[in-house]
Amino acid sequence: MRVYASDSIRNVGILGHSGSGKSNMLESIEFTTGLISRISSPNEEFKMSNITTLSAIEYQSMKYNFLDMPGYSDFYGELESGLAAIASAIIVIDGTSDLTVGTEIALELTEERKIPKFIFVNKIDSDKADYNKILMQLREKYGKKIAPFHLPWGSGEDFKGHINVVDLYARKYNGKECETVQMPDEYLDKVNEVREMLFESVAETEEELMNKFFDGVEFTTEEIHRGLRKGVLDGTLIPVICGSTYKNIGLHTTLDMIREYMPAPIDNKKNINISEFIGQVFKTVIDPFVGKISYVKVLSGEIKVDSEIYNINKSEYEKVNKIYTIVHGNMVELQKATMGDIVVLTKLNSLQNSDTLAKNEKIEKLEEIRFPKEQMMIAIQAKNKSDEDKISTALHKIKEEDSSLYWRRVIETGQTVLGVQGEIHASSIIEKLKDRYSVEVITEELKVPYKETIKGNSDVQGKHKKQSGGHGQYGDVKIRFSYSPDKEFVFEEEIVGGVVPKGYIPAVEKGLLESMKEGVLAKYPVTNIKAVLYDGSYHDVDSSEMAFKLAANLAFKKGMLEAKPVLLEPIMELRIVVPEENVGDIMGDITKKRGKILGMSAINSDKQEIIAEAPMAETFKYSNDLKSMTQGRGYFEMKVIKYEEVPTEIAKKVIEKAQKQI
């Protein structure tokens, strides 16, 4: 593949609801440009895409870097990777159904990031397709931003192309090629109706055009095109076109529109020095044969084969031996890449997602990609004990690829916990562990990392005395226990007269710390304890550090039991963003989960952010609950903010269950 100048490159994301035909669109584009000889039928087995894939297309002296992104919310991390690299987007809509959640999310995400886009209404060759209904639903929800460029020419099996309402011509497709012809007369009334809708949208882009519109003066073709491009680039217009990816109808026009209306890299240069190389890693793949594969967007300057680059985030130099792009799934070598291009680098071990690359060490690192926080937690364990040590290594590698995966070993419960985006995301991680790293795992019930503390005070003695033949064991301590509100553990000593020799006092403190690993109620770790050693006794021959550690342990158990021990549970802070109409249901559900609402604020005209607290035990499956209540339109983040006492009845059940397992 030849090297393209920046003004001949377009970076385009393909987004939409799962099943709308996104991947089929990419196939159709590859077919149009001669890369493949057939397009998959919609009746062939549908496979949900869970990764963002790159496909570089050469067409009419232009290079198009297409990123096909997952349409399912469980793979939000892959979506964020792609959004960080693209400059424009095509949102594919299934013309046989109503507007879907996936469409709304795609529009919302691209709006937030000010990414220019247009909408491709797909499957117009189906008898169930209703282009006008989709158009009206879009206009109702998004107003005059929606600018219809096309009307379908024919419907169902008779769908043959589209009428261009901007330039008043028709395009007829025969599967491989298209022909521009005169607009059929019978469509004139429909075209005028839609054209008026388009003019309304174009008028919003410039004050001069707005005045002409209200004065009833028709726009010139040049004014229409100027207004449309300006509106698309600044995000005030979203063109709508139609077609059939399976029958390859509308794809030539799609490529033309990307070239004419979507931004070239130079349009987004902002304040970057375009002569100096700066790039950012937006996606990582760990290939069993190739090794680490890093996807990089060249933000300025150029990168060449055999050059040296500096990883700003890791403070390391790396040698670029080869540069690749991806063409229909195959790696193709490039000699260099210019500003705006997307390239693939291999075997650069320091590179990770979000890393900034440059030639100059003094370049400031770029803002990190906003990968989503965990939405759900699951616990896993190795199916075979011999694989336990492999889990950590394998998860580290998967985490390098998937920045929306979080995992940790929870000390309080002894579990390996995965933080994922949903159940399907969790299943894909488990599948990777097995297929790629030969580690079979099973899920287990997620345990709450409870803790124990005391509410009262106690004053106890712990005496360890044992005689066995020669030297015996003797340690004797008197300790006051109380609640420590600010620190997990406070140890003080008030020994007078050497009743406990100074050499044994550290052993008492160590014995208490070790004892805090298991409480007296359900063997959960103990926190917020103050212990004051104030008296005791020793034996010249039989005392030892071990004896005083054991004495401290005896005192700890007595002291806990006498000082009103209680069970504590982690409390999560939840930041929940939902459509306005779901607020009541969400607030009611939080209350049912023993939670409380702390505040609420408007995000935009139709979404609210709710700040709430709820016990961790009630939030393990909150991702599923939220999806159900909002039809997938809500999302949230959560984190542990404190521990609180567990209500008596619930604590009783937790303690009984724990004691049965001891």
Side-chain angles (χ1 to χ4, degrees):
M1 179 176 285
R2 71 181 180 87
V3 174
Y4 285 81
S6 295
D7 59 357
S8 298
I9 296 172
R10 300 289 185 272
N11 297 319
V12 188
I14 304 178
L15 295 85
H17 197 85
S18 217
S20 61
K22 296 183 295 83
S23 298
N24 204 236
M25 167 173 269
L26 187 53
E27 268 196 24
S28 190
I29 290 172
E30 289 179 334
F31 177 81
T32 298
T33 56
L35 286 175
I36 58 176
S37 58
R38 66 179 292 271
I39 303 167
S40 301
S41 164
N43 299 322
E44 293 180 33
E45 185 180 355
F46 169 70
K47 186 178 180 182
M48 183 187 297
S49 173
N50 60 12
I51 59 171
T52 291
T53 58
L54 168 66
S55 186
I57 305 285
E58 293 180 287
Y59 181 70
Q60 294 183 345
S61 301
M62 296 282 293
K63 182 182 182 184
Y64 299 85
N65 289 313
F66 286 103
L67 290 171
D68 180 15
M69 305 186 203
Y72 199 76
S73 60
D74 273 36
F75 305 108
Y76 218 125
E78 286 289 321
L79 186 56
E80 288 290 358
S81 284
L83 288 169
I86 62 173
S88 56
I90 305 169
I91 297 173
V92 184
I93 293 181
D94 185 342
T96 67
S97 65
D98 291 319
L99 284 188
T100 58
V101 175
T103 299
E104 291 181 22
I105 290 173
L107 283 162
E108 190 175 295
L109 290 172
T110 50
E111 285 288 290
E112 283 176 5
R113 291 158 179 76
K114 296 181 170 52
I115 296 174
K117 57 194 152 290
F118 63 81
I119 291 169
F120 183 93
V121 183
N122 193 20
K123 305 182 183 180
I124 300 298
D125 57 314
S126 169
D127 291 330
K128 297 177 183 177
D130 192 336
Y131 177 76
N132 289 330
K133 180 187 73 173
I134 292 288
L135 198 55
M136 291 304 107
Q137 288 177 347
L138 286 167
R139 288 283 284 195
E140 184 179 345
K141 189 164 182 65
Y142 303 104
K144 295 175 184 177
K145 290 183 75 135
I146 301 300
F149 273 39
H150 288 170
L151 276 177
W153 184 3
S155 60
E157 287 296 319
D158 295 326
F159 176 56
K160 58 178 73 73
H162 57 253
I163 313 295
N164 184 314
V165 300
V166 179
D167 297 310
L168 300 178
Y169 63 76
R171 263 192 168 172
K172 186 176 182 180
Y173 289 80
N174 63 9
K176 180 65 178 174
E177 298 173 343
C178 70
E179 179 186 4
T180 301
V181 297
Q182 186 175 338
M183 182 184 75
D185 292 339
E186 64 267 27
Y187 279 85
L188 187 59
D189 290 342
K190 284 184 181 179
V191 165
N192 286 334
E193 185 181 330
V194 175
R195 195 170 164 84
E196 186 68 18
M197 203 185 297
L198 176 70
F199 286 172
E200 241 189 315
S201 299
V202 171
E204 299 283 328
T205 64
E206 290 181 18
E207 188 176 346
E208 181 187 339
L209 295 180
M210 179 69 79
N211 292 334
K212 287 187 74 170
F213 180 74
F214 282 121
D215 290 342
V217 179
E218 190 164 331
F219 302 146
T220 66
T221 302
E222 184 184 341
E223 286 173 332
I224 296 172
H225 281 276
R226 186 183 74 229
L228 287 173
R229 189 164 200 276
K230 180 178 181 298
V232 173
L233 289 177
D234 65 22
T236 57
L237 286 185
I238 306 174
V240 181
I241 63 176
C242 63
S244 164
T245 55
Y246 172 53
K247 290 189 175 178
N248 196 33
I249 297 177
L251 278 303
H252 297 75
T253 300
T254 298
L255 289 165
D256 291 344
M257 282 192 63
I258 294 170
R259 182 187 66 245
E260 292 172 18
Y261 292 102
M262 295 309 192
I266 199 74
D267 295 320
N268 295 326
K269 70 179 190 309
K270 297 182 180 178
N271 296 320
I272 291 177
N273 178 357
I274 62 173
S275 64
E276 185 171 0
F277 168 69
I278 301 173
Q280 186 172 38
V281 181
F282 66 89
K283 177 178 168 63
T284 302
V285 173
I286 307 297
D287 187 275
F289 303 106
V290 179
K292 181 180 282 191
I293 300 173
S294 304
Y295 288 68
V296 176
K297 181 171 182 180
V298 181
L299 295 167
S300 70
E302 62 181 30
I303 183 172
K304 295 180 179 179
V305 170
D306 294 329
S307 62
E308 196 173 57
I309 57 173
Y310 187 71
N311 184 339
I312 303 291
N313 297 67
K314 305 298 186 301
S315 301
E316 285 188 37
Y317 277 100
E318 293 274 12
K319 176 74 177 295
V320 177
N321 292 312
K322 290 187 177 182
I323 302 172
Y324 299 94
T325 187
I326 307 291
V327 179
H328 189 54
N330 300 310
M331 295 175 71
V332 175
E333 286 192 42
L334 302 172
Q335 289 307 302
K336 70 173 184 177
T338 57
M339 182 184 77
D341 210 349
I342 292 173
V343 296
V344 173
L345 309 179
T346 59
K347 300 177 182 177
L348 304 186
N349 291 325
S350 77
L351 272 56
Q352 292 183 319
N353 290 343
S354 292
D355 282 355
T356 301
L357 311 178
K359 290 286 184 69
N360 184 349
E361 292 183 19
K362 295 179 181 178
I363 293 292
E364 287 190 19
K365 66 181 179 182
L366 300 164
E367 182 181 348
E368 294 196 353
I369 299 169
R370 297 181 296 172
F371 290 106
K373 303 296 183 185
E374 62 191 29
Q375 299 285 295
M376 178 179 157
M377 293 179 283
I378 64 162
I380 61 170
Q381 63 174 333
K383 192 173 183 180
N384 303 309
K385 289 285 184 184
S386 59
D387 285 341
E388 284 183 356
D389 294 338
K390 297 180 184 177
I391 291 179
S392 175
T393 302
L395 286 173
H396 270 299
K397 290 180 179 177
I398 295 173
K399 170 66 177 170
E400 278 204 77
E401 290 184 294
D402 186 353
S403 296
S404 67
L405 167 68
Y406 303 84
W407 72 275
R408 61 263 186 196
R409 184 76 177 168
V410 181
I411 297 171
E412 293 90 341
T413 63
Q415 291 185 309
T416 298
V417 175
L418 304 184
V420 295
Q421 300 305 306
E423 290 179 341
I424 297 176
H425 185 211
S427 297
S428 74
I429 301 299
I430 291 170
E431 194 176 316
K432 273 186 185 177
L433 284 169
K434 180 182 177 182
D435 295 345
R436 194 182 294 180
Y437 301 104
S438 302
V439 178
E440 284 195 69
V441 300
I442 55 174
T443 58
E444 58 181 353
E445 183 182 355
L446 196 58
K447 298 174 184 176
V448 178
Y450 293 107
K451 291 183 180 181
E452 298 180 28
T453 192
I454 54 175
K455 294 176 72 176
N457 303 324
S458 60
D459 187 336
V460 297
Q461 180 180 21
K463 181 182 281 189
H464 175 70
K465 183 178 181 181
K466 189 175 182 182
Q467 194 67 40
S468 56
H471 288 307
Q473 298 177 32
Y474 186 90
D476 177 24
V477 295
K478 291 183 179 179
I479 301 175
R480 293 192 299 268
F481 289 96
S482 60
Y483 177 71
S484 168
D486 301 321
K487 294 185 177 181
E488 290 186 8
F489 177 63
V490 176
F491 177 74
E492 296 176 359
E493 58 94 1
E494 300 174 354
I495 296 299
V496 178
V499 290
V500 176
K502 286 190 178 296
Y504 293 142
I505 291 175
V508 175
E509 182 179 6
K510 191 173 182 181
L512 292 172
L513 281 168
E514 289 181 1
S515 299
M516 287 176 67
K517 293 176 181 177
E518 288 189 358
V520 296
L521 294 175
K523 291 189 176 296
Y524 285 107
V526 176
T527 188
N528 299 98
I529 296 287
K530 181 178 180 180
V532 180
L533 171 67
Y534 70 93
D535 200 359
S537 62
Y538 74 101
H539 189 278
D540 286 335
V541 176
D542 293 342
S543 287
S544 64
E545 287 188 5
M546 180 58 70
F548 273 94
K549 278 177 65 177
L550 293 170
N553 178 261
L554 291 171
F556 175 82
K557 289 177 179 175
K558 286 183 189 176
M560 284 285 293
L561 287 169
E562 292 182 19
K564 299 179 183 177
V566 293
L567 197 65
L568 301 175
E569 64 181 341
I571 303 298
M572 313 298 288
E573 179 189 75
L574 293 94
R575 293 181 172 268
I576 312 161
V577 177
V578 295
E580 182 77 44
E581 64 265 26
N582 299 124
V583 167
D585 291 339
I586 299 302
M587 294 174 76
D589 184 64
I590 290 293
T591 303
K592 289 178 188 175
K593 288 177 164 57
R594 299 192 284 125
K596 56 186 177 183
I597 305 298
L598 302 181
M600 190 168 72
S601 59
I603 295 292
N604 51 40
S605 59
D606 63 351
K607 286 207 170 183
Q608 294 279 341
E609 181 183 60
I610 299 169
I611 310 298
E613 288 180 1
M616 179 188 281
E618 304 286 346
T619 63
F620 286 152
K621 299 288 185 181
Y622 189 63
S623 173
N624 293 345
D625 297 341
L626 186 63
K627 282 177 183 175
S628 175
M629 286 185 288
T630 66
Q631 290 76 53
R633 292 174 172 85
Y635 60 90
F636 76 106
E637 292 182 2
M638 64 178 176
K639 62 181 178 181
V640 177
I641 54 167
K642 60 184 176 182
Y643 271 74
E644 287 184 351
E645 184 178 345
V646 180
T648 305
E649 285 303 310
I650 296 174
K652 185 179 177 182
K653 292 177 183 177
V654 172
I655 292 166
E656 286 175 356
K657 184 177 180 181
Q659 288 176 343
K660 285 178 183 177
Q661 295 173 345
I662 295 172

